Amino acid sequence: MSTTTGKAAESAKVQAGPGTVKSPAAGPKGSRSRRKPSLGMQNMAGWLFSTPFLVLFLVFMAVPIIATLVMSFTDFGLRNVTHPLDANFIGFENYTKLFSDEKFLKSLFNTAYFVVIGVPLTIFLGLIVAVLLNNGIDRARTFFRVGFYAPVVTTIVAVAVVWRFVLDPSDGLVAGLFSEVGLTAPDFLGSEKLAMPSMIAMAVWRNVGTVMVLFIAGLQAIPTEVREAARLDGASIWQEFRGITIPLLRPTMLYATVITTIGYLNVFEEPFVMTQGGPSDSTLTVSLNMYREGFNFFHMGYASAMAYVLFVVIMGITVLQLRLLKDNTK
Amino acid sequence: MSATNAPGAVSTAPSKKPGKAERKASGREPRSPKRIFVYVLLSLGLLIMSAPFLWMALSSFKTTSELTASPPVWIPTEWTLDNFRDLLDKLDLPLYFMNSVIVAVLVTVSNLVFCSMLGYALAKLKFAGRNKIFGLVLGALMVPGNLMLLPLFVLMSKLQLIDSYAGLVLPFAAGAFGVFLMRQFMQSIPDELLEAARMDGAGEWYIFWRIVMPLVKPALATLSIFTFLGSWNNFVWPLIATNDPDKYTLPVALATFATDPNKAGGSNGMLMAGSFLIVLPVLVVFIALQRHFTQGIATAGMK
């Protein structure tokens, strides 16, 4: 890319080592015929093209994932940030401690609450909007689609700040709506009962667009002949929806459910900005709890154990969803 | 929009409308009332979706007295730029903006190069271990980012990369999503084309840069948008990897400002102005390039 055309490979060798595979020079043994490059060449090229990603993956992902596991069996603390090897091995102590830690159990419960209410709502609303956009209207379809998708792309921190104000009981948008009909708005984020539902509302608002786009793509993949055949047979719109649309959307539904669930299980920014876990830990999620234990209190071994518990929960739920939803198709 | 002419069409002038509607609805009866209902429903939904943005935009131009008025004022009677001025006084937004841009550009460029390289290898090169590497990529897609934060922080501290651009960029320099996306697109390039180039003696690096990359420009566009935006909106890692306020990215600066009661805890005007300034460029870019967004999501979702 950088230097001129011609024998680009020669210059590429200098600036980006890994990809340099200009044919014969690279492997002395490979070429059995001059005209058709051998499979040995491709083998070599394949690995050279993979190297940059693999190196980054190894250093910044694979090793840290394993390191988290190792750390979770130690008393890794602030001191160990500079002297990691001095951390003491303490076996399963962090894990046993977790399950008697009321704060952690509460954060687990809060996260579950968020997922159990939030995911179905997001999927349901996303499906409704997609079906309406796909079948109900011809005009302004793009306009609506852009509108529903816009929250997805915006900076979550900024959006959370905005929602904090929108829900402000005295001068927020929702307070305004309440006062229009002569009511006083409750303190949504300041109430132990309402803080989490408010956060769920915001998450649904933000993520409905993703699910909508997935469903639109899924709907458009359904062959029109199938629908037309159903119509000729006199199927009502509802029958068409139940009998054709829903079954054929199963794969999309599966994918949308899994990614939404994974996203919601990791919820962090919303409580961090909107409530900081309060009031009285009612919006403390596992991720926020882990962040605090790890980076505010530097109980990094303990926080690592939390990260792994969350990871196991996520994997477990994902596998379960894949099973349940796949089996239903048969 | 359509609500103005459509009701009339139902009751008084059925002769004019059907022709148009029939063609689109492929032989179905024109169902105008139903259609209006759908439009009303969608418009209502759209209003709810855009309300927080409108509220943010309007509020950032309100005076302090209107911001704190109870019941709230919907539309400012007296438009003011004071919130923006105060915010810029208290918060070095141009600096954070530049930090965000630098990090996002570096992350995007490195993803384009590295993810395309691996995507090409996985899609078009037959080599031992290819399936294993692809399995690794799929696995990496599923691992939650939280799982590596703690050792990553230790690693970056050890490397003295806390509060550096390198520390902010490196963990995101090559993502599995990008590999997946590029592989999907590159698979559709006919093998004959590459074979022909190989017969002519082109090396793989040449084929990759000169033949494959130009052919997957739409995919590269999609990937750049997603990566740039992902980096722009990223919060957790920059929050951890920066202590020095001079290295904050926009979201970290805003969050720090918003959650610190000594700074702006109470000043919704400044916070709305700040949010407005962060969200606006993203929204503009999104609206301009919206087709790529929906396409990218759909492609990734189809598998």
Side-chain angles (χ1 to χ4, degrees):
Chain A
M1 187 184 156
S2 57
T3 27
T4 37
T5 26
K7 298 280 171 226
E10 283 308 309
S11 56
K13 190 178 285 176
V14 186
Q15 55 136 55
T20 316
V21 212
K22 178 70 181 172
S23 2
K29 57 177 179 175
S31 24
R32 61 193 148 91
S33 109
R34 187 137 295 179
R35 292 178 63 239
K36 191 158 184 187
S38 71
L39 277 179
M41 288 305 309
Q42 282 208 15
N43 215 343
M44 181 87 141
W47 279 99
L48 288 174
F49 272 86
S50 313
T51 304
F53 179 91
L54 290 178
V55 169
L56 288 165
F57 173 83
L58 212 69
V59 178
F60 298 108
M61 201 163 171
V63 169
I65 287 171
I66 296 164
T68 307
L69 187 61
V70 175
M71 278 164 75
S72 74
F73 295 107
T74 68
D75 62 354
F76 208 101
L78 181 56
R79 205 173 56 86
N80 303 108
V81 174
T82 41
H83 301 91
L85 297 178
D86 289 357
N88 298 307
F89 190 76
I90 55 168
F92 283 92
E93 206 174 292
N94 286 325
Y95 289 93
T96 46
K97 202 171 127 198
L98 271 181
F99 289 97
S100 55
D101 178 350
E102 270 179 40
K103 213 167 192 173
F104 176 72
L105 294 176
K106 187 152 197 187
S107 73
L108 211 56
F109 171 80
N110 291 336
T111 308
Y113 180 11
F114 189 87
V115 168
V116 167
I117 308 291
V119 172
L121 265 178
T122 312
I123 301 290
F124 177 72
L125 289 173
L127 176 64
I128 298 285
V129 177
V131 169
L132 288 180
L133 278 178
N134 210 49
N135 298 324
I137 62 169
D138 312 314
R139 264 183 286 171
R141 196 179 283 175
T142 313
F143 174 74
F144 281 113
R145 184 157 41 172
V146 168
F148 279 93
Y149 194 71
V152 178
V153 299
T154 50
T155 314
I156 186 156
V157 168
V159 166
V161 167
V162 172
W163 270 76
R164 210 172 71 176
F165 183 39
V166 162
L167 295 172
D168 193 302
S170 62
D171 46 26
L173 166 72
V174 177
L177 292 174
F178 272 73
S179 77
E180 289 287 328
V181 291
L183 294 169
T184 313
D187 184 1
F188 290 99
L189 297 175
S191 139
E192 269 185 61
K193 281 224 171 91
L194 294 177
M196 196 49 112
S198 312
M199 217 161 277
I200 293 172
M202 188 213 144
V204 172
W205 170 84
R206 198 178 131 81
N207 292 297
V208 141
T210 312
V211 176
M212 169 200 76
V213 169
L214 289 173
F215 278 129
I216 288 176
L219 285 168
Q220 283 170 355
I222 297 176
T224 39
E225 301 86 60
V226 180
R227 288 162 177 272
E228 261 153 29
R231 277 178 207 159
L232 285 176
D233 290 344
S236 71
I237 295 179
W238 175 243
Q239 281 169 331
E240 182 191 319
F241 184 72
R242 280 213 50 189
I244 295 173
T245 311
I246 292 292
L248 288 175
L249 275 182
R250 273 261 154 72
T252 315
M253 187 97 72
L254 173 70
Y255 180 73
T257 308
V258 168
I259 61 158
T260 311
T261 308
I262 293 176
Y264 284 8
L265 281 167
N266 282 306
V267 58
F268 174 79
E269 283 94 340
E270 292 91 335
F272 184 93
V273 176
M274 287 163 81
T275 57
Q276 295 173 284
S280 15
D281 291 338
S282 61
T283 57
L284 183 72
T285 62
V286 176
S287 290
L288 182 57
N289 198 6
M290 187 204 89
Y291 170 81
R292 279 205 197 145
E293 286 290 340
F295 298 104
N296 290 346
F297 312 133
F298 286 101
H299 301 150
M300 299 184 99
Y302 192 51
S304 300
M306 259 179 223
Y308 257 90
V309 170
L310 182 62
F311 174 60
V312 169
V313 168
I314 290 174
M315 285 317 262
I317 291 179
T318 305
V319 169
L320 198 73
Q321 284 177 338
L322 289 171
R323 280 253 169 92
L324 284 176
L325 285 157
K326 257 208 180 117
D327 283 350
N328 279 353
T329 34
K330 281 165 201 160
Chain B
M1 57 212 71
S2 68
T4 46
N5 57 7
V10 186
S11 53
T12 58
S15 54
K16 234 184 148 188
K17 264 260 151 183
K20 216 177 184 181
E22 236 164 28
R23 240 175 296 143
K24 289 236 169 178
S26 64
R28 271 200 184 183
E29 294 277 293
R31 296 166 288 119
S32 291
K34 209 169 270 174
R35 196 148 288 204
I36 293 162
F37 179 68
V38 170
Y39 272 111
V40 169
L41 220 59
L42 284 170
S43 305
L44 211 69
L46 194 65
L47 189 70
I48 295 172
M49 296 309 277
S50 50
F53 293 134
L54 292 173
W55 188 249
M56 167 192 77
L58 290 172
S59 298
S60 57
F61 295 106
K62 284 177 193 165
T63 58
T64 318
S65 63
E66 282 184 333
L67 273 163
T68 51
S70 179
V73 177
W74 296 105
I75 294 168
T77 43
E78 207 186 316
W79 296 72
T80 171
L81 288 174
D82 283 354
N83 295 316
F84 293 93
R85 225 169 279 142
D86 291 350
L87 181 77
L88 287 169
D89 275 347
K90 288 210 172 180
L91 209 60
D92 193 353
L93 277 180
L95 173 76
Y96 304 129
F97 190 88
M98 274 318 289
N99 285 345
S100 276
V101 169
I102 290 170
V103 171
V105 166
L106 291 175
V107 166
T108 306
V109 171
S110 68
N111 265 281
L112 288 182
V113 175
F114 297 145
C115 296
S116 304
M117 282 172 68
L118 182 52
Y120 172 64
L122 292 177
K124 290 294 165 202
L125 297 174
K126 287 171 188 65
F127 64 103
R130 174 169 84 158
N131 292 336
K132 278 195 186 117
I133 295 180
F134 187 57
L136 214 65
V137 171
L138 289 182
L141 272 176
M142 285 187 273
V143 176
N146 288 339
L147 204 56
M148 41 234 158
L149 291 178
L150 294 142
L152 216 48
F153 173 76
V154 178
L155 177 69
M156 289 303 180
S157 305
K158 275 268 161 200
L159 296 173
Q160 311 235 302
L161 290 178
I162 295 295
D163 289 324
S164 77
Y165 291 133
L168 288 168
V169 170
L170 281 172
F172 300 95
F177 170 77
V179 175
F180 186 75
L181 194 75
M182 295 318 294
R183 176 184 171 272
Q184 295 293 89
F185 273 89
M186 285 173 177
Q187 270 183 332
S188 63
I189 296 172
D191 281 327
E192 295 77 35
L193 184 67
L194 309 184
E195 260 336 299
R198 281 180 196 131
M199 297 288 195
D200 290 343
E204 295 299 336
W205 184 248
Y206 183 88
I207 294 175
F208 171 69
W209 270 126
R210 297 282 157 188
I211 299 171
V212 173
M213 287 299 255
L215 284 175
V216 293
K217 268 187 193 152
L220 291 171
T222 304
L223 180 59
S224 351
I225 296 167
F226 273 95
T227 320
F228 191 93
L229 222 72
S231 176
W232 186 263
N233 293 341
N234 190 12
F235 177 62
V236 187
W237 179 247
L239 177 71
I240 292 165
T242 53
N243 294 319
D244 176 4
D246 282 352
K247 283 294 184 299
Y248 282 177
T249 56
L250 276 175
V252 179
L254 181 72
T256 312
F257 195 60
T259 52
D260 185 345
N262 297 324
K263 285 177 180 158
S267 170
N268 283 328
M270 272 193 271
L271 289 176
M272 289 309 105
S275 303
F276 189 55
L277 290 177
I278 297 182
V279 164
L280 191 67
V282 175
L283 277 183
V284 170
V285 168
F286 164 63
I287 289 167
L289 304 174
Q290 52 91 15
R291 197 168 300 160
H292 292 286
F293 279 90
T294 43
Q295 205 178 46
I297 288 275
T299 312
M302 296 312 273
K303 294 221 172 170

